[in-house]
């Protein structure tokens, strides 16, 4: 049997180099989450389809991976089911599915553990999710999500902290050109009221959300096509030309929604979020009020966030989130409000790769390779290996006494920065030859000095 | 819709406390793997069924979770298929399955990347696997495996390093009572030859493997029932009574297999493994040659490992592994030999929990809670929050100015060791009140002193 194995469409292996980089990204984000008081949660990959279905719209239901019941999965089916097709058969042969996002499992967890959880509950979750999307460049069927949420409080301190989390994470990554776009659902609602577009809310918001991509003129054309009156459109024109600082733009917006109580509340809240972020040490340089930002309309009810990185001419969405007032209603528990943020791990990876931002040395790779000179010497050399490891140095010995060229090539391919050469002369003198494989420098040193160099060069 | 959500049978959520403990276990093992030069690999949860099927025996095939093809999964089926049932329908409606272990995906990775991989390839992999086993206490349908393997070398240094890895991991965990049982497949083969049991190999090995559980007399009875001659059984008796040290027991075994070249080779190799482990710093106190250890008979070809922890009267298998000479033959690539070790994360968790071995403080929890006294003071207090975090302290502020009792109870439940009280007096004086929530001690301190205490108490 020599048929070549393959990977399912839209899935990937992560080899050692990619893993080192992905681990760097995820560990950095985890550390920041922890610094802000978030605690880890993991939920199973398998969920009952009764939990998943109906939560992501019709399209989402289509994209769920469903798992065949084990054993005789046809036992509960009839010929008539088969005749009727997929919709009749499916509920009888598949009871479980794969996690589609981290939010619904989180909501399920909160409902199932509502009496044990201490609210406000700050949790983060870093796990893969699965979607049967058509695979394409940058879109996978199995990919990681990386979310943090606070539920059980309306405090705007949480929104302000999200801004700080974003600044700290992207600061650590060395991504300098990025914007944290913020808006508020109630300002958008105020806008709808202000131009009398009640009932055409999504027509309005979907159109203005495109400003970024298609520009002012085309948005106006689209609004006309969607049947908005010229008078209404005229009221909107100022928001297409917002060029001031956040404070000025908020004042412009406030003027537009002046007759909407909801809109005013949104303005007030967003001002408070920005003020709190400033008290928390943000310079707000990356934060931009964007009245056309309209994502997550079906669930966000307060502040909305979207982070875009600018590389060259491409702008790439690398994080998003917002406040919602009903996480768990769908499972019969109302009143659980919260605010969350999600990092797009694959996008961040691509941005950092394109911009060469990964630290040169992975923090987890072998630091020194002991050259294997002679099988007979092995038992005298390996104690050194142990002494290095005891001092916390990641060390390995080439397991066979093959040609030196092969051993050095191994070190090179594995990106090991140092080689330690211990032959019979070195064993006799107690001075080992440490070679820096990047610079070619070589020093004859006693073990303590070797350890010192390896420790300080880490 | 208020139907209570549930979890699929055999799956679990891991809340913050469990996650802290699991993270401690997995990070400890990962760090040791890295110190020994292993590199991380992750493969997709989804694999093509063509990759998974036929690799785990008939029972394994039954236990694979299979994923329904998306969209119209009946498109390729006919009435006749439905009539015929599961075996005819399955291949036409499900092309993918969930990972059943980490070994087959590793083998697939090696085959698909054979020209890019630098051999010897030392990889570790920590990921969940899925099995449609009947759920029972301690057995789950979704659980983590944690494997390390070296492939592409026959060097016995690898076996010796596995012994050191085991000692280092269990040493770090504080598990003192454990045994690393070792045996060698070729010694077992020698035993089969020695008693002339060729052709009844598995009858013999399955029976003697039970010595541990059922005792000498019952093993002898079982061997008689399985048709072994008394003369053959008499030759085995010495192995039921091995009571010496490893060296003595190896000599006893050597005597039994003296006419088998294979058996002699096994003895020689195992001696070399133990000698190398000793050179690597092992005291061999936990290592025990066990001639009745016979696991993984279908794939192990050299040294075999099994680690058992003794708690009270229960002995629990917490790790296992061995050398194999054909990882990838099933995918058409021969000659890839290697040796691996696998840690049983759930078992280790249970042992550590039962014995109270988890470090008291999780290393990732919040270190200090800022008490929220007064919404009006919030913007003056939050800069302190940022200053603490800038110094690397995991800090959070209770997001609302609710009753103190509620805030302290939050700290207690979240196991936060300190509270920092900053009211208007404190803001005026610049001295903050730091309360140790374990001891009740309270000190009035300037910020620098607060930071110092929090840093040193970590």
């Amino acid at each position: 049997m020599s048929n070549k194995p393959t990977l399912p469409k839209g899935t990937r292996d992560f080899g050692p180099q990619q893993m080192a980089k992905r681990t760097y990204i995820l560990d950095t984000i985890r550390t920041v989450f922890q610094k802000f008081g978030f605690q880890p949660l993991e939920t199973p990959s398998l969920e009952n389809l009764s939990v998943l279905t109906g939560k992501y719209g019709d399209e989402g239901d289509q994209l769920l991976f469903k798992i065949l019941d084990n054993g005789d999965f046809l036992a509960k089916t009839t010929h008539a089911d088969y005749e009727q097709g997929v919709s009749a058969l499916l509920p009888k042969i598949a009871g479980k599915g794969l996690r589609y996002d981290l939010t619904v499992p989180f909501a399920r967890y909160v409902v199932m553990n509502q009496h044990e959880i201490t609210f406000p509950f700050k949790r983060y979750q870093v796990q893969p999710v699965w979607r049967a999307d058509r695979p394409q460049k940058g879109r996978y069927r199995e990919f990681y999500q990386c979310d943090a949420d606070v539920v059980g409080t309306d405090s705007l301190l949480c929104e302000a902290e999200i801004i700080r989390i974003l600044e700290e994470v992207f600061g650590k990554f060395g991504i300098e050109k990025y914007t944290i776009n913020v808006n508020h659902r109630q300002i958008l609602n105020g806008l709808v009221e202000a131009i009398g577009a009640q009932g055409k809310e999504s027509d309005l918001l979907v159109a203005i959300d495109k400003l970024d991509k298609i520009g002012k003129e085309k948005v106006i054309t689209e609004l006309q096509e969607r049947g908005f009156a010229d008078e209404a459109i005229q009221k909107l024109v100022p928001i297409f030309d917002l060029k001031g600082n956040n404070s000025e733009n908020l004042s412009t917006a406030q003027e537009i929604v002046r007759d909407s109580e909801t809109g005013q509340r949104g303005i007030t809240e967003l001002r408070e979020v920005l003020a709190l972020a400033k008290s928390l040490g943000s310079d707000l340089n990356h934060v931009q009020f964007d009245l056309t930002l309209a994502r997550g309309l079906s669930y966000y009810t307060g502040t909305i966030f979207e982070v875009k990185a600018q590389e060259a001419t491409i702008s790439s969405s690398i994080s998003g989130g917002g406040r919602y007032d009903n996480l768990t209603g769908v499972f019969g528990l109302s009143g659980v409000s919260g605010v969350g943020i999600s990092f797009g791990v694959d996008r961040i990876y691509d941005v950092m790769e394109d911009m060469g931002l990964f630290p040169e040395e992975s923090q987890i790779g072998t630091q020194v390779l002991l050259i294997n000179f002679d099988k007979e010497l092995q038992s005298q050399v390996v104690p050194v290996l142990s002494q290095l490891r005891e001092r916390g140095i990641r060390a390995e010995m080439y397991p066979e006494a093959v040609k030196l060229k092969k051993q050095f090539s191994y070190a090179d391919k594995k990106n090991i920065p140092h080689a330690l050469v211990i032959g019979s002369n070195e064993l006799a003198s107690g001075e080992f030859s440490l070679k820096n494989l990047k610079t070619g420098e070589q020093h004859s040193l006693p073990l303590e000095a070797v350890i010192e160099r390896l420790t300080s060069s880490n």
Side-chain angles (χ1 to χ4, degrees), chain A:
Chain A
M1 179 155 123
S2 72
N3 58 327
K4 285 227 173 89
T6 55
L7 275 173
K9 267 188 293 179
T11 69
R12 299 162 286 173
D13 290 317
F14 298 117
Q17 281 74 31
Q18 289 155 301
M19 277 300 291
K21 291 173 180 173
R22 290 176 62 85
T23 303
Y24 171 77
I25 290 177
L26 296 177
D27 281 356
T28 301
I29 298 175
R30 278 193 196 99
T31 304
V32 173
F33 285 161
Q34 288 160 12
K35 214 156 86 174
F36 281 75
F38 289 82
Q39 296 179 300
L41 172 70
E42 280 189 12
T43 62
S45 308
L46 305 180
E47 293 276 358
N48 288 320
L49 278 175
S50 56
V51 164
L52 299 176
T53 310
K55 310 302 186 296
Y56 307 105
D58 288 347
E59 201 202 355
D61 285 351
Q62 296 297 322
L63 299 184
L64 288 172
F65 278 111
K66 289 139 196 128
I67 293 172
L68 261 181
D69 292 342
N70 262 80
D72 180 8
F73 57 83
L74 293 177
K76 284 176 263 167
T77 68
T78 63
H79 275 273
D81 295 327
Y82 181 80
E83 299 290 336
Q84 241 183 292
V86 165
S87 61
L89 215 54
L90 184 60
K92 297 189 173 177
I93 66 174
K96 291 179 290 296
L98 290 174
R99 185 169 56 218
Y100 181 88
D101 72 358
L102 302 179
T103 305
V104 167
F106 175 48
R108 178 197 48 70
Y109 176 84
V110 169
V111 172
M112 286 178 67
N113 297 276
Q114 53 186 291
H115 303 298
E116 290 78 45
I117 291 173
T118 313
F119 293 98
F121 183 40
K122 303 173 86 166
R123 88 85 174 77
Y124 70 85
Q125 194 167 351
V126 182
Q127 293 193 275
V129 300
W130 294 266
R131 297 181 183 181
D133 258 321
R134 188 177 299 275
Q136 49 182 281
K137 192 182 175 314
R139 182 172 291 185
Y140 302 99
R141 292 185 149 189
E142 173 171 348
F143 59 97
Y144 269 74
Q145 287 193 337
C146 179
D147 287 13
D149 290 81
V150 195
V151 295
T153 175
D154 295 329
S155 167
L156 298 177
L157 184 58
C158 305
E159 278 86 336
E161 295 216 304
I162 283 179
I163 291 176
R164 294 297 288 136
I165 287 173
L166 292 167
E167 290 170 344
E168 185 154 343
V169 166
F170 295 121
K172 278 180 193 255
F173 287 156
I175 298 177
E176 283 165 8
K177 289 192 179 166
Y178 71 92
T179 318
I180 304 172
N181 295 300
V182 296
N183 197 6
H184 196 292
R185 182 58 198 272
Q186 296 187 13
I187 303 180
L188 288 171
N189 289 348
L191 207 60
V192 172
E193 285 180 39
I195 67 161
Q198 287 92 332
K200 300 188 67 176
E201 194 183 345
S202 79
D203 276 319
L204 173 66
L205 300 181
V206 167
I208 67 171
D209 190 46
K210 293 184 186 166
L211 181 67
D212 223 22
K213 290 178 200 111
I214 63 176
K216 174 179 164 180
E217 299 311 323
K218 286 191 180 155
V219 170
I220 290 177
T221 311
E222 180 163 339
L223 286 168
Q224 286 166 336
E225 285 166 7
R226 286 174 185 257
F228 287 88
D230 282 343
E231 193 195 358
I233 294 175
Q234 276 316 309
K235 284 191 189 160
L236 290 174
V237 168
I239 77 167
F240 299 146
D241 292 320
L242 289 180
K243 289 214 170 57
N245 60 31
N246 289 330
S247 168
E248 290 161 3
N249 293 345
L250 276 162
S251 297
T252 309
Q254 187 167 24
E255 181 55 27
I256 299 173
V257 301
R258 64 178 173 275
D259 297 327
S260 157
E261 221 177 284
T262 307
Q264 294 296 325
R265 198 159 52 233
I267 298 278
T268 306
E269 282 205 355
L270 206 46
R271 283 214 172 100
E272 192 174 336
V273 168
L274 297 184
L276 270 170
K278 203 166 179 185
S279 298
L280 272 167
S282 170
D283 57 15
L284 297 180
N285 284 343
H286 291 281
V287 180
Q288 196 172 303
F289 168 54
D290 176 3
L291 188 43
T292 67
L293 173 64
R295 56 177 279 160
L297 293 175
S298 60
Y299 38 92
Y300 292 139
T301 53
T303 304
I304 309 170
F305 301 98
E306 176 162 47
V307 183
K308 290 189 169 179
Q310 280 85 36
E311 325 158 61
T313 54
I314 307 162
S315 153
S316 174
S317 177
I318 53 177
S319 183
R323 177 171 285 281
Y324 41 84
D325 64 6
N326 188 7
L327 178 70
T328 53
V330 72
F331 295 122
L333 179 66
S334 61
V336 178
S337 65
V339 54
I341 191 74
S342 183
F343 287 90
V345 181
D346 289 305
R347 293 269 183 84
I348 292 172
Y349 186 103
D350 290 343
V351 168
M352 292 184 66
E353 191 77 325
D354 285 355
M355 302 178 75
L357 291 175
F358 285 108
E360 198 175 323
E361 290 166 28
S362 118
Q363 297 304 300
I364 54 175
T366 300
Q367 293 164 272
V368 62
L369 177 71
L370 263 69
I371 299 299
N372 199 328
F373 252 126
D374 182 345
K375 190 164 187 296
E376 301 310 312
L377 285 181
Q378 226 173 235
S379 63
Q380 293 170 68
V381 173
V382 295
V384 174
L385 193 52
S386 295
Q387 284 166 303
L388 293 170
R389 288 174 182 156
E390 265 162 37
R391 302 289 285 274
I393 293 164
R394 296 182 300 278
E396 61 182 296
M397 183 165 177
Y398 196 90
E400 296 168 21
V402 297
K403 284 193 181 139
L404 293 193
K405 199 181 155 195
K406 194 169 176 188
Q407 299 190 43
F408 280 107
S409 151
Y410 173 85
D412 183 51
K413 285 188 183 142
K414 218 172 153 177
N415 209 21
I416 300 176
H418 293 93
L420 192 61
V421 180
I422 311 181
S424 46
N425 292 343
E426 284 80 2
L427 281 170
S429 72
E431 298 236 321
F432 309 143
S433 176
L434 181 69
K435 185 167 181 177
N436 182 320
L437 298 175
K438 307 284 164 205
T439 64
E441 265 183 288
Q442 194 156 342
H443 295 276
S444 207
L445 300 166
L447 185 60
E448 266 311 310
V450 168
I451 289 171
E452 211 166 283
R453 268 179 192 255
L454 290 173
T455 308
S456 64
S457 76
N458 186 19

